[in-house]
């Protein structure tokens, strides 16, 4: 999963909760001003190890980077209306920004979101406290404002000898066959439908073996090439050591 996909996944999850609000990324060029309520997402830096964990998939080397993306969520709202008991007229608005953000935090920690993360192979961790920024930010455009920061964990895959092949190069069997009787493959690891423990595997549950068909898409900055994506190197899975030295055979 690349950073752009990770950002969009979190935006979709946020929009699912704030169905009655505008949810948008900040720092977008020429983005029109939205009406309230408004939820903005500000992706930060990505933290990942210097070197990946390597594996071989169908003879192709694949590096796995456990990555952490920081995302700041800002909520802007008019608040909840307060009405006069006698006239029923609204004379003020109560600050509900912090309550609204804490309710969103409950949603992020819910079983629904945990299962969503499992399906998407990601995880979400709240960083620090929810903050009420109403009295800190002097802005007459929005009455009330709150903030929450989360860590969004995902795995970036570097595929091939030069690590420039697209992640869509790894294909998984769909369980279907084509008109010639050959299995059909597609990007994206299939979702497990049964829970397993340890090394247990149902006798009817066949091992899912992916294949690699090199796909390449040059970056918007001109990075990478088809020649690099097609490069091959030698690889091995096992090494045999001989006690007392090596023999030349």
């Amino acid at each position: 999963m690349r950073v752009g996909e990770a950002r969009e996944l979190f935006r979709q999850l946020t929009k699912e909760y704030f169905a009655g609000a505008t949810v948008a990324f900040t720092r977008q060029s020429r983005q029109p001003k939205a009406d309230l309520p408004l939820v903005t997402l500000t992706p930060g830096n990505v933290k990942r190890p210097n070197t990946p964990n390597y594996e071989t998939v169908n003879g192709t080397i694949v590096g796995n980077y456990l990555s952490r993306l920081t995302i700041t969520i800002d909520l802007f709202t008019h608040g909840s209306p307060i009405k006069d008991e006698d006239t029923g007229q609204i004379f003020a608005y109560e600050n509900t920004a912090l309550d609204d953000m804490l309710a969103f935090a409950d949603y992020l920690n819910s079983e629904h979101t945990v299962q969503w993360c499992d399906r998407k192979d990601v995880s979400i961790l709240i960083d620090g406290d929810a903050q009420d920024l109403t009295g800190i930010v002097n802005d007459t455009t929005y009455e009330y404002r709150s903030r929450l920061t989360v860590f969004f964990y995902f795995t970036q895959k570097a595929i091939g000898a030069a690590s420039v092949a697209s992640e869509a190069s790894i294909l998984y069997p769909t369980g279907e066959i084509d008109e010639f009787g050959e299995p059909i493959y597609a990007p994206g690891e299939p979702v497990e439908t049964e829970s397993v423990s340890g090394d247990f595997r149902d006798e009817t549950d066949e091992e899912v073996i992916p294949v690699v068909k090199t796909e390449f898409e040059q970056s918007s900055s001109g990075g990478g090439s088809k020649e690099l994506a097609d490069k091959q190197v030698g690889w091995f899975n096992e090494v045999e050591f001989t006690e007392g030295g090596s023999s030349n055979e």
Side-chain angles (χ1 to χ4, degrees):
M1 182 183 302
R2 310 314 292 176
V3 176
E5 183 181 352
R7 289 198 304 252
E8 178 58 22
L9 272 178
F10 188 76
R11 191 198 69 82
Q12 293 175 6
L13 179 68
T14 305
K15 180 60 181 175
E16 182 181 45
Y17 177 79
F18 288 106
T22 298
V23 179
F25 290 111
T26 60
R27 303 169 184 169
Q28 303 294 305
S29 62
R30 299 179 182 175
Q31 179 175 300
K33 193 173 185 179
D35 296 328
L36 296 186
L38 169 66
V39 178
T40 64
L41 306 177
T42 306
N45 297 329
V46 174
K47 180 179 177 61
R48 70 177 195 175
N50 291 328
T51 56
N53 292 319
Y54 285 106
E55 62 177 330
T56 55
V57 178
N58 194 226
T60 300
I61 188 169
V62 176
N64 298 281
Y65 290 91
L66 176 60
S67 306
R68 187 189 76 187
L69 173 65
T70 302
I71 303 177
T72 301
I73 306 111
D74 285 288
L75 169 65
F76 304 89
T77 179
H78 286 306
S80 178
I82 302 175
K83 297 182 179 180
D84 185 275
E85 295 182 358
D86 297 327
T87 64
Q89 297 296 317
I90 299 175
F91 65 90
Y93 285 85
E94 180 185 0
N95 182 1
T96 61
L98 191 57
D99 274 336
D100 294 346
M101 187 61 82
L102 289 172
F104 178 59
D106 293 341
Y107 170 74
L108 293 179
N109 287 324
S110 69
E111 183 62 26
H112 165 78
T113 302
V114 170
Q115 293 182 10
W116 179 88
C117 289
D118 183 59
R119 293 194 301 271
K120 303 299 183 181
D121 194 24
V122 301
S123 62
I124 300 172
L125 179 65
I126 295 175
D127 177 39
D129 302 325
Q131 305 174 63
D132 189 341
L133 301 183
T134 303
I136 299 176
V137 179
N138 184 19
D139 190 342
T140 59
T141 304
Y142 305 106
E143 285 88 345
Y144 303 118
R145 178 179 180 180
S146 59
R147 171 175 291 179
L148 185 71
T149 301
V150 302
F151 292 143
F152 190 87
Y153 292 88
F154 61 101
T155 302
Q156 297 184 63
K157 291 185 178 293
I159 301 171
S163 298
V164 299
S166 167
E167 291 190 358
S169 299
I170 302 180
L171 304 176
Y172 297 86
T174 62
E176 301 177 353
I177 58 176
D178 60 17
E179 56 183 324
F180 303 105
E182 297 295 328
I184 298 176
Y185 292 84
E189 191 170 356
V191 178
E192 294 183 3
T193 57
E194 296 183 2
S195 175
V196 297
S197 175
D199 296 329
F200 172 81
R201 181 180 293 276
D202 192 282
E203 293 181 357
T204 61
D205 183 17
E206 297 182 358
E207 184 180 1
V208 176
I209 301 177
V211 298
V212 176
K213 182 180 179 182
T214 302
E215 297 286 344
F216 170 72
E217 182 178 352
Q218 194 169 58
S219 73
S220 59
S221 305
S225 67
K226 187 66 169 63
E227 290 73 20
L228 285 175
D230 290 336
K231 277 191 174 295
Q232 300 290 329
V233 294
W235 59 276
F236 54 86
N237 282 333
E238 297 181 358
V239 176
E240 182 177 349
F241 292 93
T242 303
E243 185 177 356
S246 61
S247 60
N248 295 325
E249 297 182 358

